[in-house]
Amino acid sequence: MNSVRIYWVAFTTILIKEVRRFTRIWAQTLLPPAITMALYFVIFGNLIGSRIGEMGGFNYMQFIMPGLIMMSVITNSYSNVTSSFFSSKFQKSIEEMLVAPVPSWVILTGFVLGGVARGLLVGLIVTILALFFTELTVHNLFVTITVVFLTAVLFATGGFINALFARSFDDVSIIPTFILTPLTYLGGVFYSIQLLPEFWQKVSLFNPVLYMVNTFRFGILGVSDINQWTALAAICVFIVLLFSLALWLLERGRGLRQ
């Protein structure tokens, strides 16, 4: 019981520290994504969307709204853990956690859920903004909540792995710039893959972001290019694989001993 209490105190301490970190500098962590998504709503939703017409049986603003919310969750849950954990490495404060009588999974879980908290909070802010531009209906509440939470966990864990291998602040931005951003934009946020030629539809199926965006779109609108239950199962598998890899790397000090 004593060890459980120690683990719980350690976990809550890391989590509270992470939450206070991004809320203390909210003008840098919460405001910019809100402004960016508002511009997306105005430019792509109102200006361009009025010329595009319907997509998937909904007006264009309604169609892209779930994708934009999911995009904000993905980028913020990922970037929060990457920047926070790398800063801990850079300042050598992570060494104090590693020598403490706390298992690695507690440290990993604390950082990951800190990223999840920021991703979900930004997602909530973007959802509120979306209400000023279009009506919001929830087709399946269980699917909606499940996929947005699992997606935040997945990308927060990916951000942790990125931070482990990063050796400089420039390394922190390489994966988001050259991998994460292209996958997100090509993940069906702004279009249905049914509009693509058959070959590119098949290529798109290798993009994991496509499954998350479409499953969230199913939860909100009830339409999807992908089977939502298959997508949820795939996300869970990816979480187990990435979390196991992150835990293995952390326990062996990979990227920490330089």
Side-chain angles (χ1 to χ4, degrees):
M1 287 297 294
N2 189 44
S3 61
V4 173
R5 182 177 178 275
I6 292 175
Y7 297 166
W8 175 252
V9 170
F11 164 73
T12 53
T13 300
I14 296 173
L15 179 58
I16 292 172
K17 176 185 74 70
E18 289 298 294
V19 172
R20 285 181 175 175
R21 173 183 173 273
F22 71 77
T23 53
R24 186 176 64 252
I25 53 174
W26 61 270
Q28 301 175 37
T29 57
L30 303 180
L31 188 59
I35 295 175
T36 301
M37 290 302 141
L39 291 174
Y40 277 124
F41 284 127
V42 171
I43 297 173
F44 288 96
N46 280 349
L47 302 181
I48 298 179
S50 60
R51 298 177 179 271
I52 293 177
E54 289 191 353
M55 186 172 295
F58 297 88
N59 65 57
Y60 192 64
M61 174 69 81
Q62 289 178 309
F63 183 84
I64 68 172
M65 180 263 295
L68 291 176
I69 295 173
M70 186 58 75
M71 184 167 69
S72 66
V73 172
I74 288 173
T75 55
N76 283 276
S77 57
Y78 188 95
S79 62
N80 188 81
V81 181
T82 305
S83 60
S84 177
F85 189 78
F86 181 77
S87 296
S88 297
K89 281 176 51 179
F90 184 78
Q91 298 167 0
K92 305 297 183 181
S93 60
I94 188 62
E95 297 174 358
E96 299 175 3
M97 298 185 193
L98 295 177
V99 298
V102 178
S104 298
W105 65 265
V106 173
I107 299 174
L108 175 58
T109 304
F111 275 97
V112 167
L113 289 186
V116 170
R118 176 176 165 184
L120 295 182
L121 181 55
V122 172
L124 177 61
I125 294 172
V126 174
T127 302
I128 295 173
L129 285 174
L131 295 176
F132 291 95
F133 298 95
T134 185
E135 295 181 2
L136 176 64
T137 58
V138 179
H139 173 74
N140 189 313
L141 184 61
F142 171 77
V143 171
T144 301
I145 295 177
T146 301
V147 71
V148 74
F149 177 77
L150 292 178
T151 299
V153 171
L154 176 62
F155 281 93
T157 308
F160 189 91
I161 296 174
N162 184 184
L164 276 173
F165 285 106
R167 294 182 177 274
S168 67
F169 284 100
D170 291 333
D171 293 340
V172 170
S173 62
I174 290 178
I175 291 182
T177 301
F178 295 102
I179 298 180
L180 189 58
T181 299
L183 287 179
T184 302
Y185 278 91
L186 296 174
V189 173
F190 300 101
Y191 61 88
S192 168
I193 63 169
Q194 302 300 324
L195 299 176
L196 302 175
E198 184 177 353
F199 172 77
W200 291 109
Q201 288 185 34
K202 294 180 180 179
V203 172
S204 297
L205 295 178
F206 291 95
N207 183 352
V209 177
L210 177 72
Y211 294 83
M212 303 166 198
V213 169
N214 272 273
T215 304
F216 188 65
R217 181 172 286 130
F218 171 83
I220 298 292
L221 303 178
V223 296
S224 175
D225 297 324
I226 307 294
N227 181 277
Q228 64 273 11
W229 305 115
T230 302
L232 286 174
I235 295 171
C236 290
V237 171
F238 278 120
I239 289 175
V240 172
L241 292 176
L242 285 186
F243 195 90
S244 300
L245 175 60
L247 186 59
W248 183 81
L249 293 171
L250 182 61
E251 288 180 341
R252 283 155 182 76
R254 297 297 177 90
L256 299 176
R257 304 187 181 112
Q258 301 178 10

